[in-house]
Amino acid sequence: MFGIKGKQKDSGFEVKKIRKDFPILSRKIYGKPLVYFDNGATTQKPQVVIDIINELHAKENSNVHRGVHYLSGHLTGMYEVARNTIQAFLNAKENHEIIFTSGVTASINLVAFSFGEAYVHEGDEVIISEMEHHSNLVPWQLMCERKGAHLRVIPFNEKGELLLDEFKKLLNEKTKIVSVTHVSNSLGTVNPIKEIIDIAHAHNVPVMIDGAQAIQHEKIDVQELDCDFYAFSGHKVYGPTGIGVLYGKEKWLNDMPPYLGGGDMIDRVTIEKTTYNELPFKFEAGTPNYIGAVGLGKAIDYLLGVGFDEIRAREKKLLDYATEKLSKIEGLKIYGTADHKVATFSFLLDDISPYDVGVLLDQMGIAVRTGHHCTQPLWDHYGTEGSARASLVFYNTFEEIDYFCEGIEKIKKMFS
Ligand code: PMP
């Protein structure tokens, strides 16, 4: 059904072929072809990722780092190859600057705790923004409460763009760290993180970037960005759930105390005292999600095979097409109209509850997300409780956008 007319608009991007790589995209929901517009929540997995996970569980499974036997050595090797894949993907200087975590939330909690322990004292300040996901807000709040420090917040304008002049005013000698999202999950805004990093560094303040919604859309170069920390989740970049990454500059990671204690993160343990393992293991306590890490490495290889230039170009076309079509629907208001954004559309339709919109779209086979999308302060800014959100990626099609817009028109009629 999908992908025929779209070919003309794609000039070369073989979406039909790409969609075959993702088995779930050909399934039906209530007898209708699935239109998966909930990629902001999680992305679908290509067959190569599904295969490697199954294969490792079936034929190779063994705990890493702890065995002298064949299987353990083999999987340890694969786990470390995955780390090298991520290092190359992010262009990190050292592979021990790549810490495997369970996801962005775990990565940010690690930094908030550990950086906080090392560097934050009473009266100090931490800067975040008003559009942060709760995962990049609550960990800092917890740390500030523990340390007697204060959160400062960069506001945004009605289009959903951060106000950099206000950011500059917030920086002072008490600022210990800035943590902002690269791309807003609710608004789709791509924040000018290079500029934010440069401004903060001019005040000797390190910067953490929440890359949860950016990593699937553009190629990240942590050395070029010069960010101090960058975090992302495997499941949002076509990889498995339960695996994620924290990139951190070696100098910070070496100085920061461990976050979780347990196996693998130790050098020597006595009842009186423990000395810690070197990076990256110092921050990887317990059995890691080694099969997830290998699956993530596969997902990255797959994406590099598709090509980030191609992904960016296609997603821009989907963004422009959907923006034009949605803006023609009377009574539909899009939240997030930044000049630089990804194909994420938070919207309200007349005074219809976004939940009703979501449920009715679902009956047409269209998956969107509804609610506050874990960004309640962002919705407080707009004076509403949330939205319906369609988030598109390269495997979505122009026909799906047409079908989605027809669906919205139908819902409007039902309520009129
Ligand atoms: N930050 C942003 C911007 C997100 O979109 C998300 C996931 N919705 C997270 C953090 C948290 O990611 P995870 O649940 O994978 O830890």
Side-chain angles (χ1 to χ4, degrees):
M1 175 187 176
F2 299 119
I4 302 146
K5 247 192 317 174
K7 207 168 174 201
Q8 294 146 20
K9 299 187 187 87
D10 277 327
S11 55
F13 189 87
E14 295 188 76
V15 70
K16 263 179 120 179
K17 189 161 159 270
I18 295 269
R19 285 176 71 84
K20 287 210 179 99
D21 294 339
F22 295 82
I24 203 171
L25 295 182
S26 57
R27 74 157 287 181
K28 294 194 167 165
I29 302 287
Y30 313 123
K32 302 185 176 88
L34 166 67
V35 173
Y36 187 74
F37 279 2
D38 195 18
N39 295 287
T42 200
T43 50
Q44 299 302 349
K45 320 303 166 201
Q47 190 66 51
V48 285
V49 171
I50 297 166
D51 285 348
I52 192 83
I53 292 168
N54 287 340
E55 201 181 303
L56 293 185
H57 277 116
K59 296 188 194 147
E60 309 282 346
N61 183 46
S62 176
N63 207 337
V64 292
H65 293 150
R66 283 188 260 265
V68 290
H69 62 82
Y70 174 84
L71 287 177
S72 180
H74 188 53
L75 215 47
T76 301
M78 291 182 90
Y79 181 61
E80 292 307 323
V81 166
R83 196 188 307 278
N84 293 344
T85 302
I86 311 293
Q87 178 201 355
F89 178 55
L90 295 180
N91 191 30
K93 201 164 161 203
E94 308 288 347
N95 70 354
H96 54 255
E97 291 176 321
I98 305 299
I99 314 288
F100 282 119
T101 66
S102 62
V104 169
T105 303
S107 300
I108 297 173
N109 274 279
L110 187 164
V111 177
F113 176 86
S114 222
F115 185 93
E117 285 303 294
Y119 302 106
V120 180
H121 302 101
E122 199 174 339
D124 284 343
E125 296 181 0
V126 171
I127 299 179
I128 58 164
S129 89
E130 199 183 7
M131 66 171 72
E132 296 312 316
H133 188 282
H134 298 160
S135 291
N136 194 28
L137 194 163
V138 182
W140 301 108
Q141 245 173 11
L142 288 168
M143 185 267 272
C144 285
E145 274 167 26
R146 216 173 47 246
K147 290 284 171 173
H150 307 286
L151 266 192
R152 296 286 176 255
V153 181
I154 312 168
F156 59 81
N157 65 19
E158 287 315 287
K159 289 167 81 177
E161 295 165 326
L162 292 181
L163 300 175
L164 292 195
D165 286 341
E166 297 302 317
F167 169 51
K168 287 176 194 159
K169 286 185 211 156
L170 292 175
L171 282 158
N172 64 63
E173 68 286 351
K174 287 185 258 163
T175 314
K176 284 294 173 307
I177 189 164
V178 174
S179 188
V180 288
T181 193
H182 192 164
V183 171
S184 160
N185 62 312
S186 288
L187 305 174
T189 312
V190 180
N191 287 319
I193 56 163
K194 179 65 189 144
E195 218 178 321
I196 291 172
I197 292 163
D198 289 347
I199 293 168
H201 283 181
H203 290 76
N204 289 321
V205 175
V207 180
M208 165 145 211
I209 302 295
D210 171 354
Q213 299 290 339
I215 195 81
Q216 60 281 60
H217 302 297
E218 58 182 282
K219 186 82 178 65
I220 307 300
D221 184 328
V222 291
Q223 290 191 75
E224 196 181 306
L225 284 172
D226 199 24
C227 54
D228 298 273
F229 303 98
Y230 196 99
F232 71 92
S233 292
H235 71 99
K236 296 210 201 263
V237 66
Y238 312 97
T241 46
I243 185 74
V245 168
L246 170 66
Y247 158 80
K249 279 184 185 165
E250 181 176 5
K251 64 168 178 160
W252 297 118
L253 294 176
N254 268 333
D255 279 1
M256 284 158 46
Y259 174 48
L260 297 176
D264 255 15
M265 51 75 73
I266 60 99
D267 167 39
R268 175 80 178 97
V269 180
T270 64
I271 296 296
E272 290 74 32
K273 190 171 167 52
T274 295
T275 52
Y276 305 121
N277 206 341
E278 58 193 14
L279 292 175
F281 310 112
K282 175 176 137 186
F283 289 108
E284 292 184 0
T287 298
N289 183 356
Y290 47 85
I291 292 184
V294 177
L296 174 55
K298 254 294 183 246
I300 302 291
D301 287 342
Y302 173 83
L303 279 187
L304 292 171
V306 176
F308 270 89
D309 289 345
E310 285 72 16
I311 289 172
R312 214 179 19 246
R314 166 140 182 110
E315 290 181 349
K316 174 79 170 81
K317 283 183 191 168
L318 293 170
L319 166 69
D320 291 346
Y321 186 72
T323 305
E324 199 194 321
K325 286 213 74 163
L326 288 169
S327 57
K328 283 188 186 140
I329 300 178
E330 227 175 276
L332 184 141
K333 179 170 164 48
I334 295 177
Y335 290 84
T337 51
D339 291 342
H340 192 188
K341 66 171 285 192
V342 298
T344 291
F345 303 93
S346 263
F347 65 94
L348 289 178
L349 185 61
D350 295 324
D351 54 2
I352 308 169
S353 145
Y355 296 97
D356 289 341
V357 172
V359 167
L360 291 167
L361 286 172
D362 175 55
Q363 284 167 16
M364 301 173 204
I366 305 169
V368 297
R369 192 139 293 245
T370 56
H372 53 64
H373 320 300
C374 298
T375 55
Q376 285 179 335
L378 177 149
W379 296 112
D380 289 344
H381 174 115
Y382 288 114
T384 174
E385 282 184 9
S387 72
R389 182 190 72 183
S391 44
L392 282 61
V393 293
F394 64 93
Y395 52 52
N396 291 122
T397 69
F398 299 99
E399 288 81 357
E400 286 181 318
I401 295 170
D402 292 344
Y403 181 65
F404 169 62
C405 291
E406 283 160 25
I408 292 175
E409 292 287 6
K410 270 191 207 149
I411 294 169
K412 261 183 68 178
K413 273 201 198 106
M414 283 180 211
F415 279 84
S416 66

